[in-house]
């Protein structure tokens, strides 16, 4: 698991550095117009949404480790090829390739994390991965600020190549992670079972909209609102983002403690949505206040927001893991990220319309959206429970295996402990990191 976490940190560092300079690279080095950039990125987003679930199925069938490594090698080449792009059609093709490769990385790494340890540790594993992602993006953003100060074509190209190199380094690290065995589809059932699971698709669509909206509140909603005249300094945007990043890095793993099973995950998701709704209400109250009071309220709203975000993400992962069959983690991860992609298309115009069109009232509309959306987790998860087979009862181990006599000598005790592991390896059971 330490190797997988390190690979995530390395890759997130490159992504953070490139995202900081991507627009300037595409306009300065590639010479693309803003309209061309928007068209290419939109085409790539659509390709990623369409491909992510089938690619998750491939990760299940052929093993997520192998496909994760392959996709990162392809992404390294695709980002390097951006150096030769100077027109619309090649940019659209590369954008689609990057989006599809990124979709495969997400599905494969989600299945790899789900299958690389006991079920009881999946939430903690996912939280640690997200912590590394946030830490890597934060460090990468700092590194990406250097070319912004230099502002030369060479500096932007170097950051692009660093991003490509981190994909290769991450692939080399993932190669050291123990493989998760390929899964086979049950005989007689549909291959893309996630696309026939109506309760899960409803959950993925709802959670995708909620997650995309709370992710964009501080990055889109707050800057637009402050710029439109909220009587508060613009540097509060940085304060809110720092609070969010620090909270995600320091508290994400802690928030997963005690969350075990679908009812607990559902409860945490509802609690998180209520807190995000409260943060929106605090933003609304800050409108028209003196600068010092507005700043205090905005900082408080950022703290409440990050706590709600952490509980919401924990609850979402718990629901996802409980809904997905063990043999279809990859395609369920893919369908989940497809819902997130659809949310990414809806959230920016929704937040913009609320904040700029309704001002303080728009924050209250967003608060109502989170409160109502959180309550919908209850019927959706109950619906999902009625459509899934009851878990099979566990067969207790024979008493002679539980209470057999201990070997007398130190050498015998070592041989006694090694025997079960050797037997498992002889029948092809994979080892967990």
């Amino acid at each position: 698991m330490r190797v997988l976490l390190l690979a995530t940190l390395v890759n997130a560092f490159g992504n953070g550095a490139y995202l900081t300079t991507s627009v300037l690279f595409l306009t300065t080095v590639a010479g693309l117009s803003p309209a061309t950039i928007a068209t290419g990125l939109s085409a790539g987003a659509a390709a990623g949404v369409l491909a992510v679930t089938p690619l998750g199925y491939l990760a299940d069938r052929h093993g997520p480790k192998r496909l994760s490594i392959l996709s990162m090698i392809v992404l390294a080449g695709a980002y390097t090829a951006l150096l030769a792009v100077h027109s619309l059609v090649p940019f659209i093709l590369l954008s689609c390739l990057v989006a599809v490769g990124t979709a495969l990385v997400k599905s494969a790494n989600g299945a790899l994390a789900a299958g690389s340890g006991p079920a009881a540790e999946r939430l903690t594993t996912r939280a640690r991965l997200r912590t590394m992602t946030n830490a890597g993006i934060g460090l990468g953003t700092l590194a990406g600020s250097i070319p912004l100060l230099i502002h030369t074509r060479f500096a932007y190209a170097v950051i692009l190549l660093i991003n490509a190199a981190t994909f290769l380094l991450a692939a080399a690290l993932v190669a050291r992670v123990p493989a998760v065995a390929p899964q086979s589809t049950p005989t007689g059932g549909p291959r893309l079972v996630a696309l026939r699971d109506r309760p899960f698709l409803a959950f993925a669509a709802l959670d995708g909209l909620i997650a995309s909206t709370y992710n964009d509140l501080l990055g889109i909603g707050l800057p637009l609102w402050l710029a439109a005249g909220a009587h508060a300094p613009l540097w509060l945007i940085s304060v809110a983002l720092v609070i969010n990043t620090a909270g995600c890095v320091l508290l994400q793993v802690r928030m997963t403690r005690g969350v075990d099973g679908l009812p607990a995950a559902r409860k945490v998701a509802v609690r998180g949505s209520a807190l995000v709704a409260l943060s929106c209400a605090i933003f609304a109250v800050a409108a028209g206040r003196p600068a010092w009071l507005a700043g205090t309220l905005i900082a408080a709203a950022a703290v409440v927001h990050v706590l709600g975000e952490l509980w919401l993400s924990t609850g979402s992962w718990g629901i996802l893991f409980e809904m997905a069959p063990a043999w279809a983690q990859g395609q369920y991860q893919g369908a989940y990220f497809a819902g997130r992609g659809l949310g990414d298309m809806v959230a920016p115009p929704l937040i913009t319309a609320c904040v700029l069109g309704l001002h303080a009232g728009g924050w209250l509309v967003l608060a109502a959206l989170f409160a109502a959306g959180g309550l919908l987790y209850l019927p959706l998860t109950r619906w999902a429970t009625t459509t899934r087979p009851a878990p099979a009862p566990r067969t207790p181990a024979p008493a002679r295996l539980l209470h057999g006599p201990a070997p007398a000598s130190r050498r015998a005790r070592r041989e006694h402990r090694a025997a079960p592991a050797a037997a498992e390896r002889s029948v092809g059971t994979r080892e967990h990191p």
Side-chain angles (χ1 to χ4, degrees):
M1 186 51 58
R2 287 193 297 268
V3 176
L4 188 58
L5 291 173
L6 180 58
T8 302
L9 178 67
V10 168
N11 195 205
F13 172 83
N15 288 335
Y18 174 69
L19 288 175
T20 305
T21 61
S22 59
V23 172
L24 290 174
F25 169 83
L26 294 173
T27 55
T28 304
V29 180
L32 302 177
S33 66
T36 299
I37 296 172
T39 301
L41 294 179
S42 298
V49 169
L50 294 175
V52 66
T53 304
L55 291 175
Y57 168 78
L58 291 178
D60 289 326
R61 291 299 303 273
H62 300 284
K65 174 183 173 179
R66 182 185 305 173
L67 290 187
S68 178
I69 294 172
L70 175 62
S71 59
M72 285 190 282
I73 293 173
V74 170
L75 285 169
Y79 276 107
T80 303
L82 282 174
L83 290 171
V85 168
H86 302 287
S87 59
L88 175 62
V89 174
F91 180 62
I92 289 178
L93 294 177
L94 275 180
S95 294
C96 291
L97 181 60
V98 167
V100 171
T102 302
L104 182 53
V105 168
K106 289 181 178 180
S107 298
N109 286 354
L112 189 60
S116 62
E121 297 180 4
R122 290 184 301 192
L123 271 182
T124 302
T125 299
R126 187 63 184 83
R128 288 173 176 166
L129 290 173
R130 187 172 190 249
T131 298
M132 288 297 101
T133 299
N134 282 299
I137 289 177
L139 294 173
T141 300
L142 291 176
S145 64
I146 298 175
L148 297 179
L149 297 174
I150 302 174
H151 193 55
T152 62
R153 293 165 57 92
F154 177 76
Y156 295 135
V158 167
I159 289 294
L160 176 72
L161 294 176
I162 289 175
N163 184 35
T166 61
F167 278 101
L168 295 178
L169 180 55
L173 290 170
V174 172
R176 298 177 54 195
V177 176
V180 173
Q183 305 292 324
S184 58
T185 305
T187 305
R191 293 185 176 182
L192 294 179
V193 65
L195 297 182
R196 295 171 179 255
D197 191 340
R198 290 182 293 175
F200 179 78
L201 292 178
F203 159 72
L206 170 67
D207 192 75
L209 176 60
I210 289 179
S212 297
T213 305
Y214 73 62
N215 278 331
D216 288 341
L217 283 181
L218 301 184
I220 296 178
L222 183 59
L224 289 176
W225 185 57
L226 292 180
H231 304 292
L234 293 177
W235 53 261
L236 285 170
I237 300 171
S238 298
V239 172
L241 291 176
V242 168
I243 290 173
N244 185 268
T245 302
C248 289
V249 171
L250 299 176
L251 299 177
Q252 183 68 77
V253 176
R254 183 183 296 271
M255 291 297 192
T256 64
R257 295 176 182 174
V259 181
D260 185 17
L262 190 57
R266 175 175 59 208
K267 181 179 178 180
V268 167
V270 173
R271 184 191 307 162
S273 61
L275 280 181
V276 176
L278 176 60
S279 73
C280 292
I282 297 175
F283 280 127
V285 172
R289 307 294 177 183
W292 67 270
L293 181 56
T296 302
L297 290 172
I298 288 172
V303 173
V304 175
H305 174 276
V306 73
L307 293 175
E309 175 183 340
L310 294 174
W311 266 319
L312 259 172
S313 57
T314 299
S316 299
W317 302 332
I319 295 171
L320 167 61
F321 287 138
E322 292 296 327
M323 282 191 175
W327 52 269
Q329 284 287 339
Q331 61 172 290
Y332 270 75
Q333 295 274 348
Y336 175 77
F337 284 115
R340 181 67 63 87
L342 294 175
D344 288 342
M345 298 179 187
V346 175
L350 172 65
I351 293 174
T352 301
C354 288
V355 171
L356 294 184
L358 302 175
H359 304 290
W363 287 107
L364 296 178
V365 171
L366 292 172
L369 170 68
F370 285 111
L375 294 177
L376 287 177
Y377 283 114
L378 299 173
L380 284 181
T381 51
R382 288 170 182 161
W383 180 22
T385 302
T386 63
T387 61
R388 276 151 179 77
R394 295 182 179 180
T395 303
R400 61 183 178 87
L401 294 181
L402 293 175
H403 305 290
S409 68
R410 188 175 298 175
R411 178 180 178 183
R413 286 197 297 269
R414 288 197 300 267
E415 293 174 352
H416 179 75
R417 288 194 297 265
E424 289 180 358
R425 288 192 294 269
S426 67
V427 297
T429 303
R430 69 178 185 273
E431 296 179 1
H432 297 308

